[in-house]
Amino acid sequence: MTLEGSGQVLTHGAQRPVPIASLTKVMTAYVVLTGHPLRPGEEGPRIEVDPQAAHEAGVGGESTVVVTPGDRRTERELLHLLLLPSANNIARLLARWDAGSEEAFVRKMQRAARDLGMRDTTYTDASGIEPTTTSTAADQLKLAREAMRLPVLRDIVATRETTVPGVGRVANGNTLLGTSGVVGLKTGSSTPAGGNLLWAAKTDGTHLLLGAVLHQRANTTPAEGLTAALEASRTLIDGLRARPRTQGSEG
């Protein structure tokens, strides 16, 4: 965790790579927006839903959304579906649209990670369903810094719920939004990954706290792990938000 501008990063626990589940989608969104930037309020190009994305909805117990082949969704709409309900089929659709194949897109993800100094991170898929996609909290914090500098991504991850035409109302899985100053970022959970949260919270009108909590209650259930990650994150955020007030500094 860090307070932006302080230059200080606080860590707890061993920084060894672990599965990160849907935190992967932050890098997916980052790579898409790097290659296809959007201005605030801009919808971006319309992207055709291919038969594969439609077929994958509801298959294999993954987190997905129902989409219709041939429908054309804007880049911004697909990013909402990627980051709020955490749709794996949309992650793979965006990867194919951006790079021609998921495999080619994963190579772009890995290059982006290298450029950001994420030396202990390995991406093997665009959604995070693969347990071989691994990272550390310290590496994910580097990504959080860059992600929150993209106005469109920052706006999307702060959205509690929205309506996407043809899909309906979708809600953000980050239940801390709107509490404890939280304005993002992304949840992730699976049995091997446990519960994970990449978070951003405001201390006041100008300062931003960023943090990553990984591998909570791994090898239990995704719901149990995510609950533990959310609770641990809230404790950290509340403690850090109180710290500048009690110490009279922002360090």
Side-chain angles (χ1 to χ4, degrees):
M1 65 202 90
T2 187
L3 179 68
E4 280 290 78
S6 71
Q8 183 181 26
V9 176
L10 305 175
T11 62
H12 175 73
Q15 293 300 303
R16 59 183 180 83
V18 294
I20 58 172
S22 287
L23 294 197
T24 303
K25 296 182 176 83
V26 178
M27 179 59 89
T28 299
Y30 177 78
V31 171
V32 167
L33 283 168
T34 299
H36 311 273
L38 297 177
R39 293 186 295 271
E42 187 177 16
E43 288 292 319
R46 289 195 170 271
I47 299 163
E48 184 171 338
V49 175
D50 61 20
Q52 184 174 341
H55 172 73
E56 289 173 351
V59 173
E62 294 185 43
S63 173
T64 60
V65 294
V66 176
V67 287
T68 302
D71 280 359
R72 298 180 68 83
R73 301 284 166 225
T74 68
E75 180 183 345
R76 189 182 182 102
E77 288 171 346
L78 292 179
L79 288 170
H80 271 102
L81 295 177
L82 173 77
L83 294 168
L84 271 65
S86 200
N88 288 357
N89 58 332
I90 301 303
R92 294 186 283 265
L93 172 62
L94 283 168
R96 292 190 295 274
W97 170 71
D98 176 90
S101 70
E102 185 176 4
E103 294 75 17
F105 186 81
V106 167
R107 289 193 290 272
K108 293 179 72 171
M109 296 172 76
Q110 200 60 46
R111 285 196 296 271
R114 185 177 64 245
D115 291 344
L116 294 177
M118 300 167 66
R119 295 182 179 85
D120 295 317
T121 295
T122 301
Y123 290 106
T124 62
D125 72 314
S127 70
I129 191 67
E130 299 292 340
T132 47
T133 289
T134 60
S135 188
T136 64
D139 271 8
Q140 288 298 298
L141 191 60
K142 295 174 182 177
L143 175 59
R145 278 201 188 101
E146 297 305 313
M148 290 300 285
R149 289 173 181 159
L150 299 176
V152 169
L153 195 151
R154 191 168 64 238
D155 178 62
I156 291 173
V157 298
T159 302
R160 293 197 212 181
E161 60 178 26
T162 191
T163 299
V164 176
V167 176
R169 201 146 194 84
V170 292
N172 198 320
N174 183 1
T175 57
L176 294 188
L177 278 175
T179 69
S180 301
V182 174
V183 293
L185 231 164
K186 185 73 184 75
T187 61
S189 61
S190 68
T191 296
N196 304 275
L197 184 66
L198 192 57
W199 50 260
K202 290 184 178 179
T203 60
D204 50 39
T206 57
H207 294 89
L208 189 68
L209 287 165
L210 296 171
V213 172
L214 305 185
H215 215 51
Q216 301 297 292
R217 302 300 300 275
N219 300 313
T220 58
T221 67
E224 191 173 344
L226 184 55
T227 296
L230 290 165
E231 290 176 350
S233 296
R234 185 191 294 277
T235 298
L236 288 169
I237 293 165
D238 287 345
L240 288 165
R241 291 180 80 216
R243 193 175 166 195
R245 291 194 296 270
T246 57
Q247 293 185 348
S249 71
E250 298 295 340

